[in-house]
Amino acid sequence: PIKFGDYYWDAAGIPADGPLVITVDLEAQTMSVFRDGYEIGATAIIYGADEKPTPLGLHMITQKKVHHISNLYGAPMPYMMRLTNDGVAIHASDIDARYATHGCIGVPLAFAKLLFAQARLGDRVIVTRGKRLGMGGVIAG
């Protein structure tokens, strides 16, 4: 298991031009990043509180901005990658089991920098609650 604030990243030997897919499992509180079908990164995350849940489903990265401030909350959202029109994004955040967001997916700063450098507009982000397939595998796409 990945502890809060820790991450893994290794893209060595993975094709640099393959498609990028990001999966988020809210139940496990983890994010995985796949390039061309290979996992290149993983981290523990924070996500939306009960009143402001992180939306499940398939999302696309529609905007990227290194230095972004939330229009709604005035909070910094470093390395922001927007997922919804109402402000939900992946961004760097302090990561601790006691923290939650207003629907966003928070990742460690170093991981956010790596992901931001790799992600492109239109890349897919799949957010689940760890639903299981009949064979026991996690739904990834």
Side-chain angles (χ1 to χ4, degrees):
I2 297 175
K3 297 176 186 172
F4 285 97
D6 288 349
Y7 69 92
Y8 161 84
W9 193 276
D10 183 3
I14 306 301
D17 58 349
L20 189 82
V21 176
I22 301 164
T23 63
V24 177
D25 182 335
L26 299 180
E27 186 174 310
Q29 293 184 294
T30 58
M31 171 185 287
S32 292
V33 180
F34 297 88
R35 161 116 23 239
D36 205 31
Y38 296 92
E39 186 175 40
I40 61 172
T43 191
I45 63 162
I46 60 172
Y47 62 94
D50 292 339
E51 308 81 44
K52 302 277 186 181
T54 300
L56 300 176
L58 174 64
H59 306 281
M60 304 287 194
I61 296 174
T62 60
Q63 180 187 15
K64 292 175 58 181
K65 192 172 178 185
V66 173
H67 303 288
H68 182 73
I69 304 293
S70 168
N71 298 340
L72 297 174
Y73 305 106
M77 299 168 64
Y79 297 94
M80 184 275 299
M81 292 163 276
R82 185 177 306 280
L83 303 179
T84 69
N85 291 334
D86 61 351
V88 173
I90 298 168
H91 62 80
S93 183
D94 289 332
I95 305 300
D96 187 291
R98 300 168 293 170
Y99 299 163
T101 71
H102 291 104
C104 289
I105 300 163
V107 298
L109 177 61
F111 186 88
K113 289 179 182 180
L114 291 165
L115 180 57
F116 191 91
Q118 296 289 314
R120 303 209 186 312
L121 297 181
D123 283 345
R124 296 182 299 158
V125 179
I126 303 163
V127 181
T128 69
R129 281 213 179 274
K131 295 179 182 177
R132 301 271 173 193
L133 297 171
M135 298 298 290
V138 174
I139 295 172

